[in-house]
Amino acid sequence: MIKYPKTYFNIRDTLDCGQVFRFKPYEKGFLSFSLGHCAYVFEEGENVIIDCDDETYWQKYFDLDEDYGAIVSRVMSCGAEKVVKACGEYKGIRILRQSEYEALISFIISQNNNIPRIKSCIEKVCAALGEKYTFGGVEYFGFPTIEQLSKGDLALFTSLGLGYRAEYLKRAAEDLASGKLDLNYLSGLDTASLKARLLAIKGVGNKVADCALLFGFHKTDSFPVDTWIEKIYHEDFNGTLTDRKKISEYFVGLFGEYSGLVQQYLFHAKRTGRL
């Protein structure tokens, strides 16, 4: 069991800000799932409690070795009014250190989709191909391994409600299984080189690539742009660009290595009506 001060760790905001899909409310907090792992995360007094199957795994997953107090101070010093406001409201958001593989597959499934449906599709894939586990009396399906995912055919993925994304998922699974797509190699690339390689994957556009970069490979100098971020750019930053790639580059130019966290502050604040 892990105990961590809650000042810079808000469970709900961290899980519900669009960076991850495999979690659900449970008792006093949430159950969080990653690969084949499970954690029960809840607040108790001034701390977050993580009751889990593997403390080392979840220590890394929730990025508990990073000093978010220092990061928040640096972000707040930028002087951008809207960023300071959003950061003040949601300083407990942490960028999770998800599996590169699970994040990439999840965001391939996520494109042009709403969050409830994304979560449903991912859980259906887990139930169809993943292994069943039990933690604390709760049964759940783990995220399928690359080998397990590669056994799914196009008909199966289509039957799970993935629509046109089924083809992209099947191709990605084949490339991962064959070694054509080597995540260990990719993780060693710089952000620009890695993004170029991700964009070469069938079905991966700028937004999916940026999400995989930030939420899977922990490239924090990435800034995913969706409808909410476009709205923020035009309404709160008085921007005139219309190309999402250029909007992303604009924000990375402003916030550099902290771009990803700024993106999450702004996105969540706008989506919840606090910006």
Side-chain angles (χ1 to χ4, degrees):
M1 187 174 293
I2 302 170
K3 181 185 290 187
Y4 191 87
K6 69 179 186 181
T7 304
Y8 296 105
F9 186 8
N10 184 292
I11 306 162
R12 181 182 297 276
D13 291 342
T14 294
L15 294 177
D16 198 33
C17 63
Q19 64 175 312
V20 68
F21 306 106
R22 294 185 60 221
F23 66 93
K24 64 180 182 181
Y26 180 74
E27 294 185 351
K28 298 186 293 182
F30 295 87
L31 287 175
S32 181
F33 307 98
S34 176
L35 296 179
H37 298 284
C38 180
Y40 170 38
V41 195
F42 59 96
E43 288 187 4
E44 187 173 83
E46 295 304 310
N47 296 302
V48 172
I49 306 298
I50 305 170
D51 183 9
C52 56
D53 59 349
D54 184 332
E55 290 187 8
T56 300
Y57 185 87
W58 290 101
Q59 178 88 13
K60 178 181 178 182
Y61 182 85
F62 287 116
D63 205 19
L64 300 185
D65 293 325
E66 184 64 77
D67 184 355
Y68 273 71
I71 292 174
V72 167
S73 295
R74 183 70 179 271
V75 170
M76 295 283 275
S77 72
C78 74
E81 177 187 354
K82 299 296 184 178
V83 173
V84 171
K85 181 178 181 181
C87 182
E89 292 281 353
Y90 294 110
K91 65 182 181 181
I93 291 177
R94 307 178 76 86
I95 300 296
L96 301 173
R97 289 186 178 269
Q98 300 179 60
S99 152
E100 295 95 335
Y101 159 62
E102 183 171 348
L104 175 61
I105 296 300
S106 296
F107 282 102
I108 287 175
I109 292 172
S110 78
Q111 55 191 296
N112 297 316
N113 222 340
N114 60 61
I115 288 179
R117 193 163 181 274
I118 296 166
K119 295 176 73 170
S120 174
C121 287
I122 291 173
E123 288 310 309
K124 287 177 182 177
V125 170
C126 292
L129 296 169
E131 185 175 343
K132 183 180 283 188
Y133 297 91
T134 301
F135 173 75
V138 176
E139 288 189 343
Y140 66 97
F141 289 96
F143 199 83
T145 64
I146 291 174
E147 181 181 1
Q148 289 169 334
L149 190 68
S150 69
K151 292 178 180 176
D153 58 22
L154 189 59
L156 172 64
F157 292 142
T158 300
S159 74
L160 299 179
L162 270 64
Y164 69 87
R165 305 165 197 84
E167 180 185 351
Y168 302 153
L169 184 57
K170 177 60 179 171
R171 176 71 66 85
E174 290 173 344
D175 288 350
L176 287 162
S178 69
K180 180 179 178 182
L181 193 57
D182 184 341
L183 296 179
N184 287 328
Y185 168 73
L186 294 182
S187 65
L189 299 177
D190 62 68
T191 303
S193 300
L194 176 53
K195 182 171 182 177
R197 182 63 189 87
L198 292 175
L199 288 171
I201 300 171
K202 185 175 177 61
V204 173
N206 277 298
K207 187 199 169 189
V208 171
D210 284 333
C211 286
L213 284 168
L214 178 57
F215 305 129
F217 293 90
H218 208 72
K219 300 293 189 182
T220 55
D221 55 340
S222 303
F223 201 101
V225 176
D226 68 348
T227 302
W228 286 106
I229 294 297
E230 271 194 304
K231 189 178 180 68
I232 290 165
Y233 171 72
H234 292 298
E235 293 182 357
D236 301 300
F237 286 80
N238 300 314
T240 59
L241 297 170
T242 56
D243 183 279
R244 288 186 175 185
K245 182 175 182 291
K246 292 182 178 179
I247 292 173
S248 175
E249 291 170 350
Y250 165 80
F251 280 115
V252 172
L254 286 179
F255 302 113
E257 64 179 311
Y258 300 109
S259 297
L261 198 50
V262 170
Q263 193 268 1
Q264 288 289 270
Y265 294 146
L266 292 172
F267 172 82
H268 200 52
K270 196 70 168 181
R271 195 176 61 149
T272 56
R274 303 304 293 267
L275 193 63

